[in-house]
């Protein structure tokens, strides 16, 4: 393999996810404890994690995680802060907690439509420089979906693009919105995607773009991906225009492995892939940077503001439970993550306790109780 000067940096970012099993976690009914790392003395000390329940279903699903973590006796404890999407900014004490703990678990934060109120989700990613968003979309054993063999990792640039927030009204009735693409950020996310593929035994990276129309902006992103690809000759590299990508996803999703995208396209691609593999209530995700990480439901389209689900207390907690397993690996507690993932897998496989989005009628608490029952 060719020399890679960026390897030490990207390896550090990707280190929470060391094998494909860990991110496509369903080794069917594997009860064996995996020996993933040799802990240093003192590594078992409980770690503080900042907890933001958020809006809508957020408090329901974060409470589910708290219950399961307690039953699991996981070596973490939560510092809870109430943050809501209609706030103008993240309170300072919350940011100080995340800076101190370096890890946060959060529910969805509602973003008001229009009105000039910026997204707190975007604020968090920018202030913490959480430049890589990772969403895993895969089939669950025992859950019938339209497509089989779906196992896609969507890696999305998280700090610029259309989400740069540079908008202004030129004259009344004319708004200008700037899409920002830089070589620095494009190379950084491309390196992360290829290093992720390398460390997780993935075979292919697909760059998603619209360089045929946005020749300079997406052209720069594509040029950066091509340059980085030359450093990883053992990883297959290809490219797909975003509109063709959407068609290919819904017709033959099993062709994709790792996908690397600019900011907006990644949001669309991740939610589409999640829908193909069982829905947004199942897919875990996280946002990582050099120093901090936030774990949350990987694809959240339509869930945060669904008041009926909140009233009936029937939100699906699986996605955030699996995101919390990703968090446990990030904190170097892999055996706890294995136990949690196996318990979730068994609940879905057994098909006795599913929420409405999976064809059942169970409440969030029913799923929590079922997962706890399967913790060995």
């Amino acid at each position: 393999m060719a020399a890679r000067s960026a390897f030490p940096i990207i390896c550090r970012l990707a280190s929470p996810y060391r094998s494909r099993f860990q991110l496509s976690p369903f080794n069917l009914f594997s009860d064996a404890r995996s020996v993933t790392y040799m802990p240093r003395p003192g590594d078992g000390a409980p770690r503080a994690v900042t907890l933001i329940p958020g809006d809508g279903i957020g408090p329901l699903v974060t409470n589910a995680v708290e219950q399961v973590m307690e039953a699991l006796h996981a070596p973490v404890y939560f510092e809870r802060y109430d943050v809501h999407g209609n706030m103008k900014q993240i309170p300072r004490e919350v940011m100080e907690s995340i800076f101190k703990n370096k890890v946060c678990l959060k529910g969805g934060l509602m973003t008001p439509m229009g009105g000039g109120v910026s997204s707190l989700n975007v604020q968090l990613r920018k202030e913490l420089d959480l430049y890589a968003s990772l969403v895993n979309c895969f089939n669950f054993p025992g859950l019938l979906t339209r497509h089989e063999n779906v196992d896609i990792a969507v890696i999305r640039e998280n700090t610029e693009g259309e989400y740069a927030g540079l908008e202004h009204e030129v004259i009344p009735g004319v708004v200008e919105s700037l899409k920002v693409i830089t070589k620095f950020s494009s190379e950084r996310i491309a390196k992360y995607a290829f290093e992720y593929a390398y460390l997780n035994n993935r075979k292919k990276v697909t760059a998603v773009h619209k360089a045929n129309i946005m020749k300079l902006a997406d052209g720069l992103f594509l040029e950066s991906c091509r340059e980085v690809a030359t450093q990883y000759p053992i990883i297959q590299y290809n490219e797909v225009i975003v509109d063709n990508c959407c068609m290919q996803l819904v017709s033959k999703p099993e062709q994709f492995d790792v996908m690397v995208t600019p900011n907006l396209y990644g949001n669309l691609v991740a939610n589409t892939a999640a829908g193909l593999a069982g829905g947004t209530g199942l897919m875990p995700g996280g946002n990582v940077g050099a120093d901090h990480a936030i774990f949350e439901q990987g694809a959240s389209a339509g869930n945060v503001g669904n008041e009926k689900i909140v009233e009936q207390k029937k939100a699906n907690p699986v996605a955030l439970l699996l995101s919390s397993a990703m968090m446990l690996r990030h904190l170097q507690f892999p055996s706890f993550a294995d136990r949690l993932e196996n318990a979730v897998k068994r609940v879905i496989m057994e098909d006795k306790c599913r929420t409405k989005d999976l064809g059942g009628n169970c409440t969030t608490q029913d799923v929590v109780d079922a997962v706890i029952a399967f913790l060995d």
Side-chain angles (χ1 to χ4, degrees):
M1 186 172 181
R4 300 183 303 278
S5 60
F7 180 86
I9 298 175
I10 304 301
C11 184
R12 179 158 66 97
L13 292 177
S15 61
Y17 320 111
R18 291 195 182 276
S19 74
R20 190 165 188 173
F21 171 81
Q22 291 174 336
L23 282 173
S24 294
F26 298 98
N27 254 12
L28 205 53
F29 299 123
S30 171
D31 290 321
R33 293 283 187 267
S34 63
V35 182
T36 309
Y37 76 107
M38 184 174 182
R40 297 167 299 179
D43 271 359
R47 289 284 303 274
V49 173
T50 305
L51 177 66
I52 300 175
D55 299 311
I57 68 168
L60 273 175
V61 293
T62 53
N63 177 258
V65 171
E66 288 182 281
Q67 292 184 62
V68 172
M69 288 291 183
E70 183 177 358
L72 189 63
H73 302 293
V76 298
Y77 61 94
F78 294 107
E79 296 178 357
R80 175 194 291 266
Y81 292 91
D82 286 327
V83 180
H84 301 285
N86 58 3
M87 294 179 174
K88 291 186 177 180
Q89 61 183 16
I90 302 291
R92 196 68 236 161
E93 62 269 20
V94 180
M95 295 306 303
E96 289 172 356
S97 174
I98 300 175
F99 284 133
K100 172 177 65 75
N101 298 332
K102 299 187 182 302
V103 176
C104 174
L105 182 75
K106 66 179 282 290
L109 290 171
M110 178 189 65
T111 300
M113 302 295 179
V117 179
S118 64
S119 166
L120 296 190
N121 297 300
V122 174
Q123 281 186 33
L124 278 169
R125 295 166 196 163
K126 286 185 176 180
E127 187 157 353
L128 298 169
D129 196 26
L130 305 177
Y131 71 84
S133 167
L134 170 65
V135 180
N136 280 99
C137 304
F138 47 84
N139 292 123
F140 285 72
L143 181 64
L144 183 64
T145 59
R146 190 178 299 272
H147 296 278
E148 298 179 352
N149 303 316
V150 177
D151 186 6
I152 303 171
V154 181
I155 294 175
R156 161 191 175 191
E157 203 291 319
N158 223 12
T159 62
E160 55 180 28
E162 291 86 351
Y163 287 63
L166 301 175
E167 296 184 314
H168 63 278
E169 191 171 38
V170 182
I171 58 174
V174 179
V175 172
E176 187 174 59
S177 179
L178 301 180
K179 171 178 178 174
V180 176
I181 298 288
T182 65
K183 189 169 184 62
F184 171 79
S185 294
S186 299
E187 284 186 344
R188 185 168 65 164
I189 196 65
K191 288 174 182 176
Y192 186 89
F194 276 92
E195 204 64 47
Y196 171 88
Y198 176 64
L199 291 175
N200 286 277
N201 196 28
R202 297 272 187 164
K203 305 303 181 186
K204 181 170 65 174
V205 172
T206 300
V208 182
H209 67 95
K210 191 65 177 173
N212 58 323
I213 302 299
M214 300 179 193
K215 298 183 183 296
L216 293 180
D218 284 26
L220 179 58
F221 175 81
L222 204 55
E223 174 188 308
S224 301
C225 290
R226 289 171 180 171
E227 290 176 0
V228 172
T230 63
Q231 303 172 34
Y232 297 82
I234 66 171
I235 305 294
Q236 181 185 346
Y237 171 69
N238 67 337
E239 302 163 356
V240 61
I241 296 174
V242 64
D243 40 351
N244 183 34
C245 174
C246 294
M247 187 274 287
Q248 295 289 337
L249 268 174
V250 298
S251 59
K252 194 179 178 183
E254 62 275 9
Q255 69 183 285
F256 295 107
D257 191 356
V258 175
M259 306 178 77
V260 59
T261 78
N263 207 333
L264 177 61
Y265 307 157
N267 194 9
L268 305 178
V269 167
N271 279 277
T272 302
L276 295 171
T280 58
L282 294 175
M283 305 307 158
N287 305 282
V288 296
D291 298 310
H292 304 90
I294 292 181
F295 297 89
E296 58 188 324
Q297 185 168 321
S300 58
N303 283 339
V304 172
N306 195 322
E307 294 298 327
K308 188 174 182 180
I309 292 177
V310 176
E311 292 170 4
Q312 296 176 346
K313 300 186 186 303
K314 291 185 177 181
N316 190 345
V318 167
L320 199 64
L321 287 171
L322 293 178
S323 297
S324 67
M326 291 172 66
M327 179 188 76
L328 288 171
R329 284 205 177 83
H330 181 82
L331 293 171
Q332 306 249 337
F333 300 130
S335 291
F336 289 92
D338 291 344
R339 289 173 59 200
L340 175 52
E341 288 171 344
N342 281 334
V344 171
K345 169 201 64 184
R346 289 182 175 188
V347 169
I348 294 174
M349 170 65 84
E350 191 182 49
D351 193 17
K352 292 183 179 178
C353 185
R354 293 183 179 178
T355 47
K356 187 175 181 180
D357 58 313
L358 302 183
N361 197 38
C362 290
T363 64
T364 305
Q365 189 61 49
D366 292 334
V367 177
V368 170
D369 294 340
V371 170
I372 291 175
F374 274 121
L375 290 175
D376 54 274

